[in-house]
Amino acid sequence: MKSFKYVLMGALLFGAAAPVMAQDDNKAIIDQAVSVIKSKPANLKDQVKDFAKKYKKNAEVLTALGKACLEEKDTANARVFADQALARDSKYAQAWLLKGDIAVSQNNGGAAATAYQNAMYFDPKEPEGYYKYAMVQRGVDPAGAAQVLEDLRQQRPDYPVDQLIGHIFYNAQNFEKAAEAFAKVADVTKMKPEYITEFATATWLLGQREKSIEVCKAGLTVNPRKAAWNRIAFYDYTDLKKTDEALAYADKLFNASDSAHFIAEDYTYYGTAMQQAKRWDDAVQAYEKALKLNEGNNKQMGIINKNLSDVYLQKGDYDNAVAFLEKSMAGSDKPTMDQLDNLGSLYTEIASKKLKANDKAGSDEAFKNADQVYGRMLEAYPNYANYCNYMRGQINANLDPDSKAGLAKPYYEALVKSLEAKAEKQNSEIAMLKQAYLYLIVYDFNVLQDKVAAKAVAEKLLVIDPENSVAKQVKDM
């Protein structure tokens, strides 16, 4: 009984209103019919048939009813109304737009493009056809889509074409073209808010930090509580290492933005800004929040753990510095060459800090750990043998400062043998070779007391470093 009551009410609402309406009062008819469609009465199917029959000669009403059906995801009836509208008036652009929208809802880009082209042809001054055609084409031909919008500019010079072109290229991830188009807009504050966000994001991604800040600030004059603009300005200032400004916009993002939904990147950037400000504990807290929000994203967690390692190193907490760097490597099956190099460099930095603090035992332990890391690197990446031997030579020279044990000798000799065999040497290789020669000269002269051997190495060093004072002295002896 209750359902019948609502069916009757729906029928009476439409049926009672229709007779008193003038046939040309399309708006009133459309509003009434759309209301019935959206209320979804039980006899909607029958009423839809009645609408189709009653207004079969009114293309405007039929198209509006088709749009209402499409909004309710009733594509079958939407198509019926669209086809009926076109049967009445095959040149009615709005009906062609509806046909295109139906095709888009069914992922039929070709049919959508054809329908939108027809809409442009029959009503060249209606912007919607150009824009929707461009949106369909943006993935396969963003340049062609932009050209269609340039055609719209000829028809409608008043229309914000540059904003649309920027939006098209932004969605195609051509941020350079997007930024170029957005930059043609005379007054950023007159742009749609979503386009301001895209403009600011595109310039940020392109590394145009100052421009991105300018765009954000323009938007914030209109809405100072817009989270997206406070966020991007915060990121920009952090990237520029302008820490005071970065923290000011971070405060606006976290405490003075409407509808702000905080993301992992926010806390990563906040940790970076706090790190720049040397507020180590705040940086740790921010990075820990970023880790929680990035669970499952091994790449991002690796980056954040590396950042935490850097913070703990600055704090002088060497155990945590190593622990978090090792965590940053744990996400991959095989540590990369860069990861191993970072770990080796961390141990050498710890060794240097301990040496300055007169902790010789702690320094030696850290140097030995670094040596083991570069040994691992040599096994995993034999193509980097020269670099590994150079680093191990440096490390063992620190473990054996008077060279009496010759700890660095085998690594420098291996480096010399490899580099001397190369006809063409890079500047970095020449620098490594100089260091190796210098060590061997000192070792031969001071430890072995073999002046002939020392002199032979000195002559080699003078070939690549003619002004080396040690080599000159040894040669002239």
Side-chain angles (χ1 to χ4, degrees), residues 149-224:
L149 293 171
E150 290 292 351
D151 295 341
L152 171 59
R153 194 196 301 275
Q154 300 303 312
Q155 296 290 338
R156 291 283 302 276
D158 62 309
Y159 207 73
V161 169
D162 292 314
Q163 292 186 47
L164 297 181
I165 292 175
H167 179 60
I168 292 294
F169 279 119
Y170 182 86
N171 277 277
Q173 296 189 16
N174 187 333
F175 301 119
E176 190 170 348
K177 289 283 187 183
E180 283 178 14
F182 286 135
K184 292 177 183 176
V185 179
D187 186 352
V188 172
T189 63
K190 297 294 191 292
M191 291 170 62
K192 287 176 115 178
E194 57 266 39
Y195 295 165
I196 296 176
T197 302
E198 290 176 0
F199 190 10
T201 304
T203 45
W204 170 63
L205 290 169
L206 291 168
Q208 299 171 11
R209 311 291 185 216
E210 299 289 356
K211 183 63 180 177
S212 180
I213 290 168
E214 179 189 319
V215 174
C216 289
K217 286 183 174 179
L220 289 166
T221 63
V222 178
N223 181 3

Side-chain angles (χ1 to χ4, degrees), residues 91 93 116-131 148-159:
K91 298 179 181 180
Y116 293 143
Q117 282 178 314
N118 286 335
M120 289 186 282
Y121 179 77
F122 291 122
D123 190 354
K125 293 195 179 296
E126 167 55 58
E128 198 174 351
Y130 295 86
Y131 173 68
V148 167
L149 293 171
E150 290 292 351
D151 295 341
L152 171 59
R153 194 196 301 275
Q154 300 303 312
Q155 296 290 338
R156 291 283 302 276
D158 62 309
Y159 207 73

Side-chain angles (χ1 to χ4, degrees), residues 297-314:
N297 186 337
N298 289 338
K299 182 178 180 182
Q300 283 302 313
M301 290 184 73
I303 293 169
I304 297 164
N305 279 320
K306 171 64 171 65
N307 291 343
L308 277 165
S309 172
D310 294 340
V311 173
Y312 279 116
L313 178 64
Q314 295 299 322

